[in-house]
């Protein structure tokens, strides 16, 4: 199929490039309009108790709660002084005339002790807006902000709407800064890796197509279902990262085929047959990993799933259509505008000659082949040490401490917690429906007696519906707040009444429970998709299982480092964040989806070349060593480029943006070096021919339907023209042999008594020599 596709692209190259031009034009015009269409927020589960509480309160009592908190303070006068009181009352009177404002509550109207600081030099007002949803209230807040300042007093603005607005603005700035920092460095590295400006520009072309195409796709999806603005962050990260990976792999193989003396058309055909197949499998695997986010009910996670899937699939399609069409047009000119680099002397076209056995990766391959057990134990111990902190992870919700220290919402939250009685800006809300006021009072007294509760007051009442506000010490995301929510939900309500517990702490509890309930299904979906696709690609049931385990090792090491840094607070001064003592789980879920896909991406790159060598030589040791030697540089380059894309995230002001950046960098480094370069080859060396084992029915299924590197399922792979033809590995087993039963090695049925291909101890020394010896043995068997 892939060779056929290569021939189609060669013939239709100009049509493909024309369609790409149309896609770029539409994406750059109509597609970029997605920025004004996407919604904000989307962190709540619509079916959770906290969400149902909001709906019931609105229906029975009208919308309650403060959207904005305005904190006024002075260093010289108290709230009772005219110099303080008059500016505040003047400002509040103006606010009450605004169409955006539904209600303003101040200490001057209702002298509640919680609204005045203990030193009486600060007070805050609770402002409720008229907007019907988060986007409307966010727009109202932006228009209202200048009217909140009181003359002569310090004014700080916080509250949920202000926090969400600040978080969205800061996140957008962080991502923009990351892109501005990474793009110049990325371009320089591409030039250094490819050795020429023309070849270096191809990944950026695919990246641009992926991002613009994903914008277009997400805008179309938004016409059917609501999509959060957070989808854009994932598109820029995944779209550019995957585009660079796929373009690097396609262009590198194309140049290798040209260097072997093949024509441009034949080089494209073979590139699609090998690297194209690899990109196809990788793209589907990463897209399915991102699709696992769709099982979560929170709109922001589903939106990132939509964005990630769109970016990956379009990057894959661009790499399999537009990029080869461009390479056909360029031909040998892909090496044009070369940059002279001293370390590339002695290479052809800015790359090592095909089949070169020297270099660092060849030395690493030979070392791993000689001592696989030592590498296996050493790397596993190191990864275990890195993953150890993950065992003590503590989960919690996002609060104002993720913002920079001088951000106004964080300042307001911190000052109210430290300077005001009650010390909370987000009380727990308890709705009692179906009970008269006299039945609610004893219930309120029982609430006040619960551990952690510092106060209970009635904030709204109508008929047999009463809303209670429950205060507690500490942060809304702290353990005390969550314990109060759980205690309230366990407390029996008045006879015949229905009690619902909501508010910001309850929303955090519901978020943690919802994510925990669906996380196993997410893991099952990712693992199942990986097992299926890798089996279809390589015809083995051992390699897919091993790939999943290797992925978990690298991701576990990354999560351990994240806990050590962001939960425990190490390096907080260097990275510029405040440790909250816990990790917000949705960040790790996003990282899990992205990193699982990336880890599988690198696994597919390595195993594809190993499988190609195995089909050509039948020598496991030589195949693993040659596969590592041929792909080690590409995987390392892809990892380095992706690190550059992600590195800018660590410079942002939002703590969770830093967390994602640091976690991904650690995972990419671990995966591309320790796991793919050492651990995977070591395990494959130890497993020998069992790497390619599959039950005979599955092996036959793969031989007919698998994603093989050949157009004819019944034919052996086309050998490299530079190498002698290699007969089928081993004699065909008879009907009564063991291999004709339930055990088979991929598409090669090998008798149980057949000698190991890599039993020759000399194969540990030189993989190329081992391959030659294997071919000689095969030829000798055929001659006999």
């Amino acid at each position: 199929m892939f060779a056929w596709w290569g021939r189609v692209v060669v013939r239709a190259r100009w049509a493909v490039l024309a369609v790409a031009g149309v896609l770029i034009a539409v994406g750059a015009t109509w597609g970029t309009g997605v920025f004004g269409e996407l919604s904000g927020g989307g962190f709540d589960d619509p079916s959770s108790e906290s969400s149902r509480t909001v709906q019931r309160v609105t229906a029975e009592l009208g919308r309650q709660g403060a959207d904005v908190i305005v904190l006024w303070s002075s260093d010289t006068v108290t709230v009772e002084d005219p110099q303080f009181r008059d500016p505040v009352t003047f400002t509040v009177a103006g606010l009450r005339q605004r169409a955006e404002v539904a209600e303003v509550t101040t200490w001057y109207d209702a002298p509640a002790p919680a609204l005045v600081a203990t030193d009486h030099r600060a007070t805050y007002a609770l402002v409720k807006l008229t907007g019907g949803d988060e986007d409307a209230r966010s727009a109202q807040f932006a228009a209202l902000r200048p009217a909140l300042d009181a003359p002569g007093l310090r004014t700080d603005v916080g509250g949920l709407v202000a926090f969400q607005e600040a978080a969205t603005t800061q996140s957008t700035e962080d991502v923009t800064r990351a892109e501005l920092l990474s793009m110049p460095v990325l371009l320089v590295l591409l030039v250094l890796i490819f050795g020429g400006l023309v070849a270096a520009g191809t990944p950026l072309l695919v990246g641009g197509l992926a991002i613009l195409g994903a914008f277009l796709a997400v805008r179309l999806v938004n016409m059917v279902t609501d999509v959060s603005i957070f989808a854009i962050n994932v598109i820029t990260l995944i779209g550019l990262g995957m585009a660079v990976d796929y373009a690097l792999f396609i262009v590198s193989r194309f140049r290798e085929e040209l260097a072997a003396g093949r024509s441009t058309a034949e080089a494209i055909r073979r590139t699609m047959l090998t690297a194209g197949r690899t990109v196809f499998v990788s793209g589907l695997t990463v897209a399915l990993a991102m699709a696992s986010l769709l099982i979560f009910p929170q709109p922001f996670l589903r939106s990132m799933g939509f964005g990630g899937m769109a970016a990956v699939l379009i990057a894959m399609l661009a790499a399999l259509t537009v990029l080869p069409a461009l390479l056909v047009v360029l031909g040998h000119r892909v090496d044009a505008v070369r940059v002279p680099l001293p370390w590339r002397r002695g290479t052809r076209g800015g790359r090592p000659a095909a089949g070169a056995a020297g270099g660092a990766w060849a030395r690493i391959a030979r070392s791993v082949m000689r001592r696989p057990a030592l590498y296996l134990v050493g790397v596993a111990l190191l990864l275990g040490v890195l993953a150890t902190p993950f065992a003590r992870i503590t989960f919690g919700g996002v609060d104002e401490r993720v913002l920079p220290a001088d951000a106004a919402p964080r300042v307001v939250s911190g000052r109210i917690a430290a300077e005001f009685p009650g010390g909370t800006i987000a009380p727990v809300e308890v709705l009692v429906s179906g009970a008269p006021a006299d039945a609610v009072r004893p219930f309120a007294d029982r609430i006040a007696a619960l551990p952690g509760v510092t106060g209970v007051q009635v904030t709204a009442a109508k008929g047999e519906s009463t809303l209670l506000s429950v205060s507690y010490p500490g942060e809304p995301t702290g353990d005390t707040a969550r314990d109060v929510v759980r205690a309230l939900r366990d407390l029996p309500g008045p006879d015949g009444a229905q009690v619902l517990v909501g508010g910001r702490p309850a929303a955090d509890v519901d978020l943690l429970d919802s994510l925990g309930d669906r996380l196993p299904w997410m893991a099952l979906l990712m693992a199942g998709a990986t097992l299926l696709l890798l089996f279809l690609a390589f015809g083995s049931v051992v390699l897919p299982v091993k790939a999943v385990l290797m992925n978990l090792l690298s991701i576990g090491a990354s999560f351990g480092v994240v806990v050590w840094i962001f939960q425990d607070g190490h390096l907080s001064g260097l990275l510029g964040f405040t440790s909250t003592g816990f990790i917000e789980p949705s960040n790790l879920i996003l990282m899990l989806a992205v990193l699982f896909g990336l880890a599988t991406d690198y696994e597919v790159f390595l195993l594809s070349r190993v499988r190609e060598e195995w089909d050509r030589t039948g020598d496991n040791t030589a195949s693993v060593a040659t596969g590592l030697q041929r792909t080690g540089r590409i995987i390392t380059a892809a990892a380095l480029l992706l690190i550059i894309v992600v590195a800018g995230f660590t410079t942002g002001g939002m703590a969770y943006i830093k967390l994602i950046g640091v976690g991904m960098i650690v995972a990419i480094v671990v995966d591309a070096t320790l796991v793919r370069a050492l651990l995977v080859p070591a395990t494959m060396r130890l497993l020998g021919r069992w790497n390619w084992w599959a039950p005979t029915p599955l092996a036959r299924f793969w031989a007919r339907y698998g994603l093989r590197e050949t157009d004819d399922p019944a034919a052996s792979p086309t050998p490299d023209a530079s190498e002698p033809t290699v007969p089928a590995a081993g004699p065909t087993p008879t009907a009564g042999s063991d291999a004709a039963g339930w055990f088979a090695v991929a598409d090669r049925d090998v008798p149980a008594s057949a000698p190991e291909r890599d039993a020759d101890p000399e194969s540990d020394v030189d993989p190329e020599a081992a391959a030659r010896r294997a071919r000689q043995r095969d030829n000798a068997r055929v001659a006999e």
Side-chain angles (χ1 to χ4, degrees):
M1 179 183 77
F2 296 98
W4 168 82
W5 180 247
R7 290 191 292 268
V8 170
V9 171
V10 170
R11 291 194 298 266
R13 55 190 177 276
W14 292 113
V16 170
L17 293 176
V19 172
V22 172
L23 177 63
I24 290 174
V26 176
T29 52
W30 190 78
T32 52
V34 71
F35 292 94
E37 300 289 335
L38 302 183
S39 61
F43 299 98
D44 298 329
D45 178 358
S47 64
S48 66
E49 182 174 342
S50 56
S51 295
R52 289 187 286 114
T53 301
V54 173
Q55 297 169 3
R56 288 283 298 276
V57 168
T58 303
E60 298 176 16
L61 300 171
R63 199 170 68 83
Q64 302 293 315
D67 299 308
V68 179
I69 296 176
V70 188
L71 176 63
W72 296 292
S73 59
S74 173
D75 295 330
T76 58
V77 296
T78 64
V79 295
E80 296 87 357
D81 293 332
Q83 297 95 319
F84 196 117
R85 182 187 64 242
D86 293 346
V88 171
T89 55
F90 174 79
T91 301
V92 170
L95 291 177
R96 287 172 173 155
Q97 302 300 315
R98 298 287 297 252
E100 301 94 343
V101 177
E103 183 181 337
V104 182
T105 302
T106 72
W107 179 78
Y108 298 104
D109 302 316
L115 298 179
V116 177
T118 53
D119 64 358
H120 280 233
R121 295 186 183 275
T123 185
Y124 63 87
L126 304 174
V127 181
K128 183 165 63 176
L129 303 176
T130 59
D133 55 39
E134 292 179 354
D135 292 335
R137 290 192 285 273
S138 178
Q140 289 177 339
F141 171 70
L144 189 66
R145 176 59 188 87
L148 301 177
D149 294 323
L153 300 176
R154 173 179 171 177
T155 303
D156 295 299
V157 182
L160 184 58
V161 173
F163 170 50
Q164 292 175 341
E165 179 69 15
T168 300
T169 301
Q170 186 67 53
S171 298
T172 302
E173 292 176 356
D174 289 350
V175 173
T176 302
R177 181 189 301 108
E179 294 170 352
L180 292 176
L181 291 175
S182 64
M183 288 304 293
V185 181
L186 184 65
L187 181 57
V188 171
L189 282 178
L190 285 171
V191 172
L192 295 179
I193 290 170
F194 282 106
L197 293 178
V198 174
T202 56
L204 298 181
L205 171 65
V206 178
L209 279 168
I211 292 173
L212 292 176
F215 286 166
L216 184 62
V218 168
R219 187 167 186 184
L220 292 173
V221 172
N222 190 59
M223 298 172 68
V224 180
T225 182
D226 289 338
V227 180
S228 170
I229 193 67
F230 289 97
I232 300 300
N233 298 346
V234 175
I235 286 174
T236 55
L237 172 64
I238 298 296
L240 187 58
M242 291 295 94
V244 168
D245 275 10
Y246 297 158
L248 180 64
F249 204 62
I250 293 289
V251 174
S252 296
R253 187 59 186 250
F254 176 70
R255 298 168 83 192
E256 182 179 327
E257 298 297 339
L258 288 180
R262 295 182 173 86
S263 66
T264 298
E266 178 63 11
I268 286 293
R269 189 191 72 83
R270 288 185 59 82
T271 297
M272 290 294 99
L273 186 64
T274 53
R277 165 186 172 273
T278 301
V279 168
F280 179 76
V281 174
S282 172
L284 289 182
T285 306
V286 179
L288 287 173
M290 296 304 300
S292 66
L293 295 174
L294 301 181
I295 69 173
F296 293 99
Q298 289 78 16
F300 86 103
L301 278 177
R302 288 191 288 108
S303 298
M304 288 191 283
F306 287 133
M309 290 173 60
V312 171
L313 291 176
I314 295 175
M316 177 191 75
L317 291 174
L320 295 179
T321 55
V322 180
L323 181 57
L326 179 63
L327 293 178
V328 173
V329 174
L330 290 175
H332 287 274
R333 287 172 295 182
V334 71
D335 290 325
V337 196
R338 290 175 53 191
V339 177
L341 301 172
W343 60 83
R344 291 183 179 271
R345 293 173 183 172
T347 61
R348 298 191 302 172
R351 60 204 175 279
W361 287 108
R363 292 191 293 271
I364 292 174
R366 288 192 290 268
S367 179
V368 174
M369 294 300 100
R370 291 191 195 100
R371 296 174 288 274
L374 179 63
Y375 278 98
L376 173 63
V377 174
V379 173
L381 287 176
L382 179 56
L383 294 178
V385 171
L386 292 175
T388 298
F390 184 59
R392 62 173 185 271
I393 190 170
T394 301
F395 293 113
V398 171
D399 60 32
E400 285 79 358
R401 287 175 291 176
V402 301
L403 294 171
D406 59 349
R410 179 173 175 178
V411 170
V412 170
S413 175
R415 291 192 62 186
I416 290 178
E419 302 174 17
F420 287 73
T424 180
I425 63 171
V428 179
E429 296 180 346
V430 180
L431 175 65
V432 183
S433 299
D438 56 354
V440 175
R441 293 191 191 96
F443 180 61
D445 293 337
R446 284 190 286 141
I447 291 176
L450 292 175
V453 174
T454 58
V456 182
Q457 61 180 357
V458 177
T459 56
K462 182 179 180 181
E464 292 191 340
S465 297
T466 304
L467 183 64
L468 302 176
S469 178
V470 180
S471 58
Y472 51 86
E475 300 289 341
T477 53
D479 291 338
T480 301
R482 291 199 296 270
D483 291 342
V484 167
V485 170
R486 294 189 177 97
L488 287 170
R489 288 178 172 173
D490 292 337
L491 187 67
D495 293 339
Q498 182 181 8
V499 177
L500 292 175
V501 179
R504 186 166 159 189
D508 286 342
V509 171
D510 292 337
L511 175 65
L512 296 175
D513 292 343
S514 175
L515 296 180
D517 290 342
R518 288 166 175 78
L519 184 58
W521 294 104
M522 174 191 179
L524 183 62
L525 176 61
M526 289 193 303
T530 301
L531 293 174
L532 176 61
L533 287 172
L534 292 189
F535 167 74
L536 291 175
F538 303 114
S540 165
V541 297
V542 175
L543 290 180
V545 173
K546 184 174 67 64
V548 171
L549 295 177
M550 297 297 104
N551 291 357
L552 294 179
L553 284 175
S554 61
I555 294 172
S558 171
F559 284 2
V561 173
V562 163
V563 170
W564 185 80
I565 293 176
F566 290 92
Q567 178 176 300
D568 299 345
H570 299 99
L571 307 181
S572 59
L574 177 64
L575 294 174
F577 70 92
T578 300
S579 174
T580 59
F582 54 80
I583 301 293
E584 204 283 321
S586 63
N587 292 328
L588 294 188
I589 287 175
L590 173 62
M591 288 175 57
L592 177 62
V594 174
L595 294 177
F596 197 92
L598 290 177
T600 307
D601 180 49
Y602 296 149
E603 181 85 357
V604 171
F605 284 2
L606 174 60
L607 293 183
S608 293
R609 201 59 185 259
V610 174
R611 175 75 209 197
E612 185 179 342
E613 294 299 320
W614 165 258
D615 287 335
R616 191 168 62 87
T617 68
D619 189 311
N620 178 73
T621 300
S623 299
V624 174
T626 304
L628 175 61
Q629 174 187 329
R630 297 288 179 86
T631 62
R633 174 178 172 270
I634 297 176
I635 292 176
T636 303
L640 179 60
L641 293 170
L642 188 56
I643 287 172
I644 296 302
V645 173
V646 175
F649 282 38
T650 63
T651 65
M654 293 292 291
Y656 65 77
I657 296 291
K658 293 178 185 289
L659 182 150
I660 292 173
V662 171
M664 289 190 63
I665 289 174
V666 172
I668 294 168
V669 170
V670 167
D671 196 85
T673 56
L674 296 177
V675 175
R676 304 304 151 194
L678 302 178
L679 192 58
V680 170
T683 55
M684 294 188 73
R685 172 69 175 89
L686 292 171
L687 287 170
R689 66 186 178 91
W690 293 103
N691 285 303
W692 313 104
W693 175 83
T696 298
L698 291 180
R700 290 171 178 165
F701 175 88
W702 180 79
R704 178 177 291 271
Y705 301 109
L707 299 173
R708 305 179 61 191
E709 294 184 352
T710 175
D711 291 332
D712 183 3
S716 298
T718 303
D720 191 321
S722 63
E723 298 287 345
T725 300
V726 181
T732 303
T734 63
S737 69
D738 293 338
W742 281 92
F743 298 98
V745 181
D747 62 325
R748 302 173 179 274
D749 290 333
V750 180
S753 60
E756 274 287 324
R757 275 284 199 273
D758 52 342
D760 188 347
E762 291 182 307
S763 64
D764 289 346
V765 178
D766 188 344
E768 292 292 334
R772 289 193 296 272
R773 286 192 295 274
R775 290 194 294 273
Q776 292 169 359
R777 288 195 298 267
D778 288 333
N779 291 333
R781 289 190 186 111
V782 173
E784 293 172 357

